[in-house]
């Protein structure tokens, strides 16, 4: 062999090595499965550094993006975020209210038309751009960058009152270690001459009294502050401490907590279902639940409420979905994740509904038995004095009232009603129907803290089941809180490069301080206010803009090419038509109907009147209406503000600092500012989306800014550091309009 053949072979080997690098350019050299993804920016001398996985980086300035330890941990996080308290106390109520089993049909249809497509969209953009909501929407369209800020504001509003609900659950959890349970019966008041039941409790019920008077110590209206409820204040402090400790290390700490917080509720729900099915009357509840009322499906209100439930069940628009997916590998199959999590969410709602109605069926039988006993005693008292003894069927023995069954009672009532048709109303006898008990629709706090707690007082070993139930509520709430807080922290950390620990503690301290508003005696009314006005309308607007930004600003064809590059296959054409036409139209219809409902329904809330021991609907005072409107305006305000700043070039869409960084062939590259280069010169350019492996960046690259700022002033439209994923060197060309 010639002497120089070794040199030739070496050159060929180098070419082969470079070709292999090109083939592997979809993968970061710094990305070790789910473990690590790092980004290195230039040092002060303008020297770019490459990453070194084995050594943990270089001596340059390094930003290391955390990643999920496993796919299971990520799926549990998404499930924990989407499956929350609404699955347990909102979905069953909507089923009961809107046709029972028939409600599942519109819900499933809208889950397919709205839920899964939008969930897939958020997962895809978060996973590929690998930023929080602010960075993602700044990148897609800088003029719509306010979408990310609006998501953060809504997340903060929701976190304020959502953690209060967790604190309520913590309070009940702490009170459940007693036999009998403290809400088992009404308290007695003793004076010098007699002992009597507290009037407020006697007029309502033991569980209702305990909720409004012992737990909340609620005032009669929102205008009566009444001072702080110190027990709830301590519970709120405990709730925010738990959230802070779980989130302080980001997904490295919250991901591990997810194994318990996401899986434990399923254990409790299954245990409750098995226990409830063994109770008398549980089958009545389930039969009532799944007896379809098909005529109700024709009402527009049912479809609107189903769409709203789908929308909130998956946590769309909060930014939590985007934040969680941003810690994934860029080739993760997010389409599979979207379908899997959506179906898990749906089946969790059905499971929770089975549990709720099995327990409510048992409770209805208990209440019906009490009703039968009470009214049978009335009949005994009326014998010979309004009711002829001959009207009582001979096989019924009224000397033992406790032995009179519901069927016997109904038989007596039918006979008495037939004979004394004109005088029946004056007798004061009730029908005592299980169906009537089950038709008493309860939702939210009424279901969890009144109806369910009352049912559990009749359970054998009731303290155990109470502990399990409220521990489940705490876990469901915390799972959703982690996603909500992640929707705030991830975008802010990506954008402003602040220390994660400082931002987490600061956010939790601020939220707890503002949250004191919700633990005063009138705090429950503020929870209702925030729940009704701070999230619904703003989130609808956010999701509409998200869909429009991808389908019409970024371009649905371009987005499909990006998905093909990222996933390795072309998604079903179904999503093309959903994102471009069907879903935006459905969202706009939902938005308009929600606006009409808010306009036609004056702002009001349910107040507990102590003297009357019942709820009463009151109008918000003038200042309360101003607060309601302010919540909506503050949540949406970032969208027009950012659009105006970009449109009038007050903030340049395409400026960055003295250098820009991006991924290239699995390595970090950077371009330093060259003397004399003007502001509009593009630093780094990439191939078109159809040629490049990256879906989001395409050929949208950030420009340098030659204005003021020191060497550390590295800024970009989607955060302090501009990030793009490039395939190969390209000559300078005009920057994308995006």
């Amino acid at each position: 062999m010639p002497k120089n053949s070794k040199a030739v072979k070496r050159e060929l080997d180098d070419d082969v090595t470079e070709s292999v690098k090109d083939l592997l350019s979809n993968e970061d050299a710094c990305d070790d499965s789910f473990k690590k993804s790092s980004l290195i920016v230039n040092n002060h001398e303008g020297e770019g550094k490459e990453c070194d996985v084995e050594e943990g980086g270089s001596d340059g300035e390094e930003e290391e993006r955390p990643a999920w330890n496993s796919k299971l941990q990520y799926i549990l996080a998404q499930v924990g975020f989407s499956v929350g308290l609404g699955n347990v106390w909102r979905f069953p109520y909507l089923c009961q209210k809107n046709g029972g089993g028939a409600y599942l049909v519109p819900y499933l249809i809208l889950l397919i038309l709205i839920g899964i497509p939008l969930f897939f969209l958020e997962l895809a953009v978060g996973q590929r751009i690998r930023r929080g909501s602010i960075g993602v929407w700044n990148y897609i369209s800088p003029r719509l960058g306010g979408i990310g800020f609006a998501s953060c504001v809504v997340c903060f509003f929701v976190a304020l009152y959502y953690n209060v609900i967790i604190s309520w659950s913590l309070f009940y959890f702490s009170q459940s270690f007693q036999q009998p349970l403290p809400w088992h019966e009404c308290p007695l008041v003793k004076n010098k001459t007699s002992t009597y039941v507290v009037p407020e409790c006697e007029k309502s019920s033991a569980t209702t009294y305990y909720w409004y008077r012992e737990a909340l110590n609620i005032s009669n209206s929102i205008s009566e502050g009444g001072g702080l409820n110190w027990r709830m204040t301590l519970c709120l402090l405990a709730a925010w401490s738990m959230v802070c400790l779980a989130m302080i290390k980001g997904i490295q700490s919250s991901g591990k907590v997810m194994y318990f917080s996401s899986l434990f509720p399923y254990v409790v729900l299954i245990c409750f279902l098995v226990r409830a099915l063994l109770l008398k009357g549980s089958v009545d509840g389930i039969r009532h639940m799944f007896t379809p009322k098909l005529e109700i499906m024709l009402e527009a209100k049912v479809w609107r409420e189903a769409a709203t439930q789908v929308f909130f069940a998956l946590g769309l628009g909060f930014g939590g979905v985007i934040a969680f997916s941003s810690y994934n590998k860029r080739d993760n199959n997010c389409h599979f994740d979207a379908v899997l999590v959506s179906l898990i969410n749906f089946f969790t709602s059905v499971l929770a509904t089975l549990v709720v109605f099995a327990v409510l069926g048992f409770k209805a039988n208990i209440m019906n038995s009490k009703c039968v006993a009470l009214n049978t005693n009335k009949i005994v008292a009326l014998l010979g004095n309004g009711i002829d003894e001959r009207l009582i069927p001979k096989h019924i023995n009224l000397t033992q009232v406790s032995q009179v069954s519901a069927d016997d009672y109904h038989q007596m009532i039918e006979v008495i009603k037939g004979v004394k048709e004109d005088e029946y109303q004056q007798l004061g006898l009730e029908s005592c129907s299980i169906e009537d008990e089950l038709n008493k629709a309860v939702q939210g706090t009424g279901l969890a803290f009144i109806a369910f707690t009352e049912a559990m007082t009749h359970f054998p070993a009731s303290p155990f089941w109470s502990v399990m139930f409220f521990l489940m509520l705490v876990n469901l709430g915390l799972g959703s809180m982690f996603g909500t807080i992640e929707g705030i922290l991830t975008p802010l950390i990506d954008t402003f490069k602040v220390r994660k620990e400082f931002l987490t503690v600061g956010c939790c301290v601020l939220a707890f301080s503002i949250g004191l508003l919700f633990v005063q005696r009138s705090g429950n009314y503020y929870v209702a206010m925030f729940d009704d006005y701070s999230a619904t309308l703003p989130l609808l607007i956010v999701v509409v803009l998200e869909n429009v930004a991808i389908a019409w600003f970024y371009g649905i064809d371009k987005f499909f090419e990006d998905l093909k590059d990222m996933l390795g296959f072309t998604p079903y054409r179904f999503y093309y038509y959903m994102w471009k036409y069907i879903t935006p139209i459905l969202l706009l219809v939902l938005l308009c109907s929600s606006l009409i409902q808010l306009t036609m329904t004056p702002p009001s809330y349910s107040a507990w009147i102590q003297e009357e021991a019942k709820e009463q609907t009151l109008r918000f005072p003038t200042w309360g209406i101003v607060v309601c409107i302010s919540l909506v305006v503050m949540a949406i305000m970032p969208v027009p503000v950012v659009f105006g700043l970009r449109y009038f070039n007050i903030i340049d869409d395409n400026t960055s600092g003295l250098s820009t960084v991006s991924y290239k062939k699995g390595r970090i590259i950077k371009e330093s500012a060259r003397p004399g280069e003007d502001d509009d010169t593009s630093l780094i350019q990439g191939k078109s989306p159809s040629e490049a492996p990256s879906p989001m960046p395409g050929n949208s690259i950030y420009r340098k800014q030659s204005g003021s700022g020191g060497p550390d002033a590295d800024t970009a439209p989607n955060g302090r550091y501009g990030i793009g994923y490039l395939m190969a060197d390209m000559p300078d060309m005009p920057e994308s309009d995006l």
Side-chain angles (χ1 to χ4, degrees):
M1 182 178 288
K3 199 171 200 178
N4 62 351
S5 64
K6 291 185 179 179
V8 173
K9 185 175 184 298
R10 188 179 300 112
E11 290 177 4
L12 290 172
D13 289 343
D14 290 342
D15 290 340
V16 171
T17 302
E18 287 301 315
S19 298
V20 172
K21 286 183 179 179
D22 288 339
L23 289 173
L24 297 177
S25 58
N26 272 330
E27 298 293 334
D28 260 343
C30 298
D31 188 44
D32 178 17
S33 184
F34 275 82
K35 297 292 185 181
K36 182 177 179 180
S37 172
S38 56
L39 168 66
I40 300 171
V41 299
N42 64 300
N43 57 16
H44 289 217
E45 288 76 25
E47 297 288 334
K49 302 291 183 182
E50 290 189 3
C51 63
D52 185 346
V53 174
E54 293 181 2
E55 298 301 326
S58 68
D59 55 353
E61 185 183 352
E62 178 178 341
E63 177 204 6
E64 185 174 304
R65 188 168 188 80
W68 297 105
N69 289 328
S70 67
K71 181 67 175 282
L72 176 61
Q73 195 177 88
Y74 162 68
I75 292 295
L76 288 177
Q78 291 286 17
V79 169
F81 176 50
S82 65
V83 175
L85 297 173
N87 296 75
V88 174
W89 67 34
R90 176 72 177 162
F91 188 88
Y93 161 74
L94 291 174
C95 280
Q96 180 188 31
K97 176 184 174 186
N98 296 318
Y103 174 75
L104 300 179
V105 176
Y107 184 86
L108 264 177
I109 292 173
L110 292 170
L111 179 66
I112 294 171
L113 297 181
I114 294 180
I116 294 177
L118 290 176
F119 197 58
F120 180 26
L121 184 146
E122 289 200 359
L123 288 178
V125 295
Q127 177 175 306
R128 197 51 175 157
I129 298 179
R130 308 192 81 183
R131 293 290 147 208
S133 56
I134 294 175
V136 162
W137 301 113
N138 248 340
Y139 186 86
I140 296 298
S141 176
R143 289 183 180 179
L144 294 178
I147 296 175
F149 288 99
S151 292
C152 288
V153 174
V154 173
C155 279
F156 187 71
F157 283 160
V158 171
L160 287 177
Y161 75 84
Y162 203 85
N163 224 22
V164 175
I165 299 174
I166 297 176
S167 69
W168 294 342
S169 302
L170 282 173
F171 173 76
Y172 268 79
F173 172 75
S174 67
Q175 299 297 307
S176 297
F177 297 90
Q178 303 178 45
Q179 177 68 26
L181 292 169
W183 51 84
H184 177 71
E185 57 186 16
C186 288
L188 300 175
V189 178
K190 296 181 180 179
N191 57 24
K192 295 180 180 179
T193 57
S194 62
T195 300
Y196 59 93
V197 176
V198 175
E200 184 182 3
C201 185
E202 190 175 24
K203 293 178 184 177
S204 53
S205 69
T207 50
T208 304
Y209 173 81
Y210 190 86
W211 166 242
Y212 283 117
R213 190 55 49 214
E214 297 294 335
L216 299 181
N217 192 21
I218 200 166
S219 61
N220 284 350
S221 73
I222 195 171
S223 301
E224 301 174 24
L228 290 177
N229 182 337
W230 68 269
R231 291 190 294 184
M232 284 302 173
T233 303
L234 292 178
C235 290
L236 183 64
L237 178 61
W240 275 114
S241 299
M242 293 165 64
V243 171
C244 185
L245 291 173
M247 298 297 299
I248 197 164
K249 293 294 183 182
I251 63 170
Q252 301 302 330
S253 55
S254 65
K256 294 178 175 62
V257 178
M258 287 297 176
Y259 285 111
F260 181 77
S261 66
S262 297
L263 294 176
F264 180 74
Y266 290 96
V267 175
V268 177
L269 284 174
I270 292 171
C271 291
F272 257 99
L273 180 60
V274 172
R275 184 68 191 90
L277 289 175
L278 298 175
L279 296 171
K280 179 184 176 182
S282 60
V283 177
D284 294 330
I286 294 176
R287 187 189 301 118
H288 176 83
M289 164 62 217
F290 286 106
T291 301
K293 304 176 182 67
L294 298 177
E295 66 280 0
I296 296 182
M297 284 180 58
L298 301 176
E299 298 179 12
K301 180 186 68 171
V302 174
W303 290 83
R304 180 178 60 80
E305 291 187 346
T308 305
Q309 179 63 16
V310 166
F311 183 81
F312 285 104
L314 295 175
L316 300 173
F318 282 93
V321 173
I322 293 176
F324 280 151
S325 65
S326 72
Y327 298 112
N328 267 338
K329 289 196 303 179
R330 285 185 298 279
D331 61 352
N332 174 59
N333 189 349
C334 54
H335 174 253
F336 172 79
D337 299 342
V339 176
L340 177 64
V341 174
S342 299
L343 291 179
I344 289 175
N345 187 288
F346 171 70
F347 286 115
T348 303
S349 297
V350 174
L351 174 62
T353 302
L354 284 171
V355 173
V356 166
F357 276 88
V359 172
L360 290 182
F362 166 70
K363 174 179 174 287
N365 270 267
I366 295 291
M367 300 305 293
N368 191 61
S369 298
K370 289 183 177 180
C371 179
V372 168
L374 178 64
N375 284 274
T376 302
N377 283 324
K378 287 184 180 179
I379 292 175
V380 171
L382 290 171
L383 289 177
N385 187 23
I387 296 178
D388 195 330
E389 294 184 5
R390 291 173 294 179
L391 297 179
I392 307 300
K394 294 183 179 179
H395 69 279
I396 299 176
N397 183 10
L398 291 182
T399 58
Q400 295 182 335
V401 174
S402 60
Q403 301 298 320
V404 177
S405 67
D407 290 337
D408 291 341
Y409 174 74
H410 290 140
Q411 192 174 349
M412 286 191 296
I413 289 295
E414 290 299 321
V415 174
I416 295 171
K417 187 183 293 185
V419 175
K420 293 185 168 290
E421 187 174 350
D422 298 333
E423 305 171 12
Y424 180 75
Q425 294 295 333
Q426 300 173 2
L427 298 177
L429 299 175
E430 297 180 18
S431 59
C432 296
S433 168
I434 292 178
E435 288 296 314
D436 291 343
E437 285 292 333
L438 288 170
N439 281 327
K440 295 178 181 178
V442 286
Q443 65 160 323
T445 54
L447 175 63
F449 299 108
I450 298 177
F452 229 81
T453 52
E454 185 171 348
M456 283 187 295
T457 58
H458 302 288
F459 277 29
S462 54
F464 168 78
W465 294 105
S466 183
V467 166
M468 294 288 282
F469 177 71
F470 289 110
L471 187 57
M472 178 191 72
L473 290 188
V474 169
N475 276 274
L476 284 172
L478 286 176
S480 297
M481 274 297 295
F482 295 155
T484 304
I485 297 298
E486 198 69 57
I488 302 171
L489 300 181
T490 297
L492 295 180
I493 290 168
D494 289 344
T495 303
F496 301 108
K497 302 300 170 189
V498 294
R499 285 276 306 234
K500 186 175 299 178
E501 294 84 356
F502 294 158
L503 182 61
T504 304
V505 173
C507 179
C508 292
V509 169
L510 176 63
F512 170 73
S513 302
I514 299 175
L516 294 176
L517 175 72
F518 303 101
V519 289
Q520 55 181 338
R521 289 185 60 200
S522 59
N524 188 46
Y525 307 136
Y526 288 98
V527 170
M529 176 192 288
F530 272 66
D531 189 32
D532 290 337
Y533 295 96
S534 71
T536 307
L537 197 61
L539 279 179
L540 277 172
I541 295 173
V542 164
V543 175
V544 169
L545 291 174
E546 286 182 357
N547 198 163
V548 170
I550 291 293
W552 297 96
F553 282 76
Y554 186 76
I556 193 66
D557 295 301
K558 189 177 178 183
F559 187 56
F560 251 67
E561 285 292 329
D562 296 340
L563 288 175
K564 182 179 179 181
D565 286 330
M566 181 171 70
L567 301 176
F569 62 88
T570 303
Y572 298 113
R573 201 68 179 171
F574 163 81
Y575 291 106
Y576 181 95
Y577 297 107
M578 287 296 105
W579 286 330
K580 191 168 186 179
Y581 303 112
I582 307 300
T583 305
I585 292 172
L586 291 175
L587 286 173
L588 286 172
V589 170
L590 180 59
L591 178 61
C592 292
S593 64
S594 298
L595 279 170
I596 292 171
Q597 183 197 23
L598 284 175
T599 304
M600 295 179 63
T601 307
S604 59
Y605 63 100
S606 293
W608 178 257
I609 310 301
Q610 182 174 1
E611 293 75 18
E612 300 176 12
K614 66 179 182 180
E615 287 186 338
Q616 183 177 332
T617 301
L618 299 179
R619 297 277 185 90
F620 280 113
T622 304
W623 62 265
I625 296 175
V626 172
V627 172
C628 293
I629 296 172
S630 300
L631 290 173
V632 176
V633 171
M634 282 191 291
I636 298 179
M637 186 58 67
V639 176
V641 168
V642 172
F643 182 86
L645 293 175
R646 301 285 196 194
Y647 184 80
F648 294 106
N649 292 323
I650 299 173
I651 296 179
D652 188 355
D653 292 358
N654 303 304
T655 55
S656 65
L658 294 176
S659 65
T660 303
V661 286
S662 66
Y663 283 95
K664 175 189 174 186
K665 292 185 184 178
R667 301 190 302 270
I668 305 303
I669 62 172
K670 75 94 189 142
E671 294 283 345
S672 299
R674 290 191 280 270
E677 199 172 40
D678 57 46
D679 290 351
D680 291 329
T681 303
S682 213
L683 291 179
I684 307 170
Q685 300 296 341
K687 289 185 179 181
S688 64
S690 60
E691 297 170 323
S694 162
M696 291 305 133
N699 49 3
S700 175
I701 309 298
Y702 309 127
R703 304 172 187 166
K704 73 181 183 63
Q705 180 182 8
S706 59
S708 61
D712 297 327
D714 297 320
T715 59
N718 65 333
R720 186 175 174 186
Y721 305 109
I723 299 179
Y725 307 102
L726 302 182
M727 186 77 174
D729 291 320
M730 293 291 290
D732 286 351
M733 60 184 70
E735 189 174 10
S736 163
D737 290 335
L738 260 172

